[in-house]
Amino acid sequence: MNPQTLVPIMLTFMLRNIASNGFTFRDPQSPGDYSRDSKPGCVIAAPSFPAQTPGIDEDYVFNWVRDGAITAMEVAKANMPTGQDGTVETLNDYVQFADLCHSNAQPTKGHACFNIAGDSRPWTEQNDGPALQSITILAAYDQLDLGTQKRAVDLVNSNVDFLLGVYQKPTTNLWEEHSGFGFFARAAQLRCFEEIQSSKITGINKPTGLKPAIKWLREALAGHWDGSKYVSLMADPGGGAQPSPQRPVVDGYDPNIDIVQAALYGAVSFTDTKLLATAAQLRAQWEEGGIAFYPINKADREQLGIGPLFGRYPGDVYNGDTAHPTLGGHPWALSTCNVAELHYKLAAEIKSSGKVPLDELSAPFFAQSGIDASSAPAAAAAALLTTGDDMVQAVIYHSDHLELSEQFDGTTGYERSVRNLTWSYAAYLSAMRARAEAV
């Protein structure tokens, strides 16, 4: 089955998690308080909360800045129907809700999570969020009405001013577990600054600090290379002013899937052979013989010829039930779609350029798709497309009638953790956009 045929279904499932004037969510913690109903444009992480999802003790009926931006990007790229004014109502709503949250953000403008009414929820500061939000707003700008465009410009300018003050500082990482210098956050901030620098949108400010920040972040990202892989999170060496020397924050955190995500959502090149070397280790750790082997990957390969499924990192214990953690965690739908997208993007680039970025570092990655130095570019592109499809087919096969939870059980393949995760659908749609360019 061509996985692109499922795009309309996955888009519909994703849109169910975005509030509008006619479709609201109730706060499960205050079900009778209508003042805490969702505002239009609120993107919930999932409609899952403990009372509704047996065996899960996590409430995802909140708006995370990062998840919202990743979701709204797919709305911006979906060729949505427009109103009489030629704009997309969902995107107007998204920007207005994002601006509401930004105005309520405390203690900093990097606050990561808000309730569905747009008020700050006690949570962490995550400085990738304002960067991703700004990237999405730039992409959606032409689909906004005039009033919302003005709010969008003001919001982006405020985000950039904030980021210029914090990009050299540690922050809570993508998985909300540790604080340090994150590869993903730095990649997102770098892409944001680069897109601001090249933006032609009237009113977008370009502070003098942009160019030195871009240079600093590129050097800082290079400092995450440890000789065999990019390290996800580095500790502050003392003051945080220089990108090196640094050290990993915690053992068992690498290789981490957020390195691949840094190439999809941030400014890391997907042809970077150091990135590909890291991606090869990611796959190996979850296949037979790997340090975090998922038995379902062996069964899928031998019985169905699909997969593998990917998780977050080898020492993961999160399964949606923090009272009963699972050593090794479980594979995630979004992680698997993200790695498939990397393969699709490489296939499209090789098809276009006629060159395979194969060297000593990337050879293990290409070998996983049966590609070596003797492979013709066209054959390499076709092999990468097939590899990506095999991964996506595993996501489809283990879905619940195409609905995607956060995780799959690493042994049985059945869905685990919170149901209908918005990011899972967004990752599927993003992968299919990349696939369309590769075929």
Side-chain angles (χ1 to χ4, degrees):
M1 179 183 64
N2 182 343
Q4 285 180 262
T5 62
L6 299 179
V7 164
I9 296 172
M10 296 302 186
L11 176 61
T12 300
F13 287 165
M14 186 185 78
L15 291 174
R16 294 185 305 182
N17 290 348
I18 305 176
S20 67
N21 280 314
F23 183 67
T24 60
F25 304 107
R26 295 280 166 83
D27 188 337
Q29 297 185 8
S30 302
D33 185 354
Y34 296 109
S35 68
R36 289 171 65 89
D37 280 3
S38 60
K39 301 292 191 298
C42 170
V43 181
I44 59 170
S48 181
F49 54 95
Q52 189 185 46
T53 313
I56 301 301
D57 61 9
E58 296 298 285
D59 181 357
Y60 275 35
V61 188
F62 292 101
N63 176 277
W64 271 265
V65 176
R66 178 196 311 108
D67 297 39
I70 288 170
T71 302
M73 177 64 81
E74 296 313 308
V75 177
K77 299 293 185 179
N79 193 27
M80 296 282 288
T82 59
Q84 292 183 349
D85 60 357
T87 72
V88 175
E89 181 179 10
T90 302
L91 292 174
N92 287 322
D93 290 344
Y94 165 73
V95 171
Q96 291 161 18
F97 185 78
D99 190 44
L100 171 65
C101 293
H102 180 82
S103 66
N104 291 334
Q106 54 179 318
T108 80
K109 297 304 181 183
H111 195 69
C113 193
F114 298 80
N115 68 26
I116 59 176
D119 299 315
S120 286
R121 168 202 186 191
W123 208 249
T124 57
E125 311 306 295
Q126 299 172 29
N127 296 336
D128 57 351
L132 295 169
Q133 184 181 83
S134 299
I135 292 165
T136 292
I137 290 173
L138 293 178
Y141 182 82
D142 289 340
Q143 300 176 65
L144 305 175
D145 63 44
L146 291 177
T148 306
Q149 285 182 339
K150 174 63 167 62
R151 292 180 72 171
V153 167
D154 291 344
L155 177 54
V156 168
N157 286 338
S158 180
N159 280 340
V160 171
D161 286 344
F162 168 74
L163 290 170
L164 286 173
V166 300
Y167 72 89
Q168 293 188 4
K169 300 177 182 178
T171 186
T172 305
N173 75 321
L174 174 63
W175 305 125
E176 306 182 323
E177 296 164 330
H178 302 284
S179 180
F181 295 104
F183 190 85
F184 180 87
R186 285 171 159 174
Q189 291 164 0
L190 176 58
R191 178 178 172 185
C192 175
F193 289 161
E194 288 180 338
E195 293 196 7
I196 292 295
Q197 189 67 40
S198 62
S199 176
K200 305 297 183 184
I201 295 174
T202 301
I204 293 292
N205 297 332
K206 300 182 181 181
T208 56
L210 276 179
K211 287 186 177 179
I214 289 170
K215 180 177 183 293
W216 191 94
L217 284 166
R218 285 209 172 277
E219 293 175 353
L221 284 169
H224 284 254
W225 179 250
D226 72 354
S228 67
K229 63 184 178 298
Y230 280 127
V231 173
S232 170
L233 196 64
M234 309 298 288
D236 187 346
Q242 298 298 323
S244 62
Q246 298 174 342
R247 61 190 184 279
V249 166
V250 62
D251 292 335
Y253 220 48
D254 295 290
N256 197 304
I257 200 71
D258 66 2
I259 303 300
V260 169
Q261 293 168 323
L264 306 183
Y265 303 119
V268 178
S269 172
F270 54 85
T271 60
D272 177 358
T273 58
K274 293 178 180 178
L275 168 79
L276 299 180
T278 309
Q281 294 177 52
L282 278 164
R283 176 171 177 172
Q285 71 189 6
W286 288 309
E287 292 192 302
E288 190 172 11
I291 59 175
F293 169 53
Y294 295 137
I296 191 61
N297 283 337
K298 181 175 186 284
D300 280 352
R301 184 186 71 251
E302 293 179 348
Q303 299 172 22
L304 302 168
I306 60 175
L309 296 167
F310 287 72
R312 298 193 299 174
Y313 55 88
D316 199 1
V317 298
Y318 180 66
N319 61 5
D321 181 6
T322 56
H324 304 90
T326 302
L327 182 61
H330 297 292
W332 288 46
L334 69 90
S335 297
T336 307
C337 288
N338 287 159
V339 179
E341 181 175 349
L342 174 63
H343 285 76
Y344 294 145
K345 284 183 173 293
L346 276 171
E349 173 62 22
I350 291 169
K351 183 178 177 181
S352 173
S353 68
K355 298 178 181 178
V356 181
L358 193 153
D359 63 12
E360 184 176 303
L361 291 173
S362 63
F365 173 87
F366 286 109
Q368 291 169 337
S369 295
I371 302 166
D372 59 25
S374 67
S375 301
L384 290 166
L385 181 66
T386 297
T387 298
D389 281 354
D390 288 345
M391 295 171 183
V392 174
Q393 292 294 351
V395 171
I396 296 169
Y397 181 80
H398 292 294
S399 69
D400 183 4
H401 298 88
L402 302 182
E403 292 189 341
L404 299 175
S405 294
E406 183 180 66
Q407 302 172 37
F408 303 107
D409 190 284
T411 300
T412 67
Y414 285 102
E415 292 200 336
R416 295 289 301 264
S417 193
V418 302
R419 61 185 184 86
N420 284 310
L421 188 79
T422 313
W423 192 353
S424 294
Y425 298 119
Y428 188 100
L429 295 170
S430 183
M432 290 303 101
R433 287 195 292 111
R435 187 184 189 277
E437 297 178 0
V439 296

